[in-house]
Amino acid sequence: KGEGSYEAIQGTAGVSVVLERVLGCSSTSIAVAAVQGQPPAKADALFKSIRARVSDASTLVLACSRPSSSSSALDLSLKGVPPAQCFTVIGTEEQGAVRLLKLRRPTGPVTWVGDWSRDSDLWNTREGVAIGSRHEESWNANTFFMSLQDFIATFACVEVCACRLSSSDLRRRALLLSLFNHAPHLLKPGLTSRLLAISAKIKADRVAAELLAEEEKKQKKGKHKLRATR
């Protein structure tokens, strides 16, 4: 709604736009695909960076699978990961040489059939048993584990949104959410001044709606009392 059409926010670049509109704070993009084929130190740095951000409760970490136009899109679909989709990175695990990322698909179930899938024999290894024991009650149809190597081959980027909002950020977020619900056609890039200009009207409409609701409650109470006296 904010950008006028789905086409305007297609691709991984659109994720930062959505985060800005919904959460009211900016995001940082980490290029995952660029790490593929690089020295192991690059993968190590990527894992440490994601792990540090996931451990921060105020930070949202999203992984964007590679677009359908990529050469690996067919392979991804066969392994159960839809192309050009966003997944929430909700955890990381490191046991010996094994490094895993725990992902969740917010929009519905996903059936990952690669290494460390739900039915993988790797869960019977020493590392698998140790990791699995820490997640026995937190698995569902929307969550799955993926090795760091498969993660790098599957996802194009990671979007990190730190939601440590100042008082001004909180006011801006409330304004954006209010406008998104009441006047989404006004949410266009570069229209901050217009957003602020119409915020007073939105607040007035909200107050009026609350007053009407309160008056309706009073009328209902009055009718109940009248019936009780009869």
Side-chain angles (χ1 to χ4, degrees), residues 21 28 95 177:
R21 294 288 185 259
T28 301
Q95 189 75 31
L177 290 175

Side-chain angles (χ1 to χ4, degrees), residues 7-18:
E7 288 76 13
I9 56 173
Q10 278 186 343
T12 56
V15 177
S16 59
V17 175
V18 174

